[in-house]
C-alpha cells in the first residue's frame, strides 16, 4: 500500500513539475528508476492509479509507455 501511494503521488508531482517547467525528462522513467524497476511495463501499472485522481494523467502516459517498452525491447534490455 505504501509503495503504491508513494508511486502515485510521486508520478503526479513530477508531472505537475514538468508542466510548470521545473522538471525535464520523463516522470515515468524517473519513477521507474526510483522504484528500481528494470522494465517500464512494470512501472506502467502505477499510471492506472492516476485515473482515479485525474483522467488526464492516466491516458497521457500510454503512448510514452508503448514507446519506452519498444525501445527497451529493441535495445535487448
Amino acid at each position: 500500500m505504501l509503495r503504491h501511494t508513494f508511486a502515485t503521488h510521486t508520478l503526479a508531482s513530477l508531472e505537475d513539475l514538468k508542466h510548470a517547467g521545473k522538471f525535464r525528462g520523463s516522470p515515468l522513467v524517473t519513477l521507474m528508476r526510483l522504484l528500481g524497476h528494470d522494465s517500464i511495463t512494470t512501472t506502467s501499472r502505477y499510471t492506472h492509479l492516476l485515473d482515479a485522481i485525474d483522467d488526464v494523467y492516466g491516458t497521457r502516459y500510454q503512448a510514452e509507455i508503448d514507446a519506452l517498452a519498444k525501445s527497451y525491447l529493441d535495445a535487448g534490455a
Side-chain angles (χ1 to χ4, degrees):
M1 179 83 160
L2 182 60
R3 188 173 176 87
H4 287 278
T5 302
F6 169 79
T8 302
H9 287 283
T10 301
L11 190 56
S13 295
L14 289 171
E15 183 67 30
D16 290 342
L17 287 171
K18 184 174 182 171
H19 286 285
K22 297 181 180 183
F23 179 78
R24 291 183 182 212
S26 168
L28 195 58
V29 171
T30 301
L31 181 63
M32 180 182 85
R33 291 179 180 149
L34 287 171
L35 295 174
H37 293 160
D38 293 326
S39 170
I40 197 68
T41 54
T42 304
T43 310
S44 69
R45 77 174 119 175
Y46 295 106
T47 62
H48 83 275
L49 298 171
L50 293 176
D51 285 336
I53 298 170
D54 186 352
D55 287 336
V56 175
Y57 288 125
T59 56
R60 183 178 300 159
Y61 284 110
Q62 192 56 51
E64 183 178 359
I65 292 166
D66 293 342
L68 288 168
K70 184 182 180 326
S71 70
Y72 277 92
L73 290 174
D74 291 345

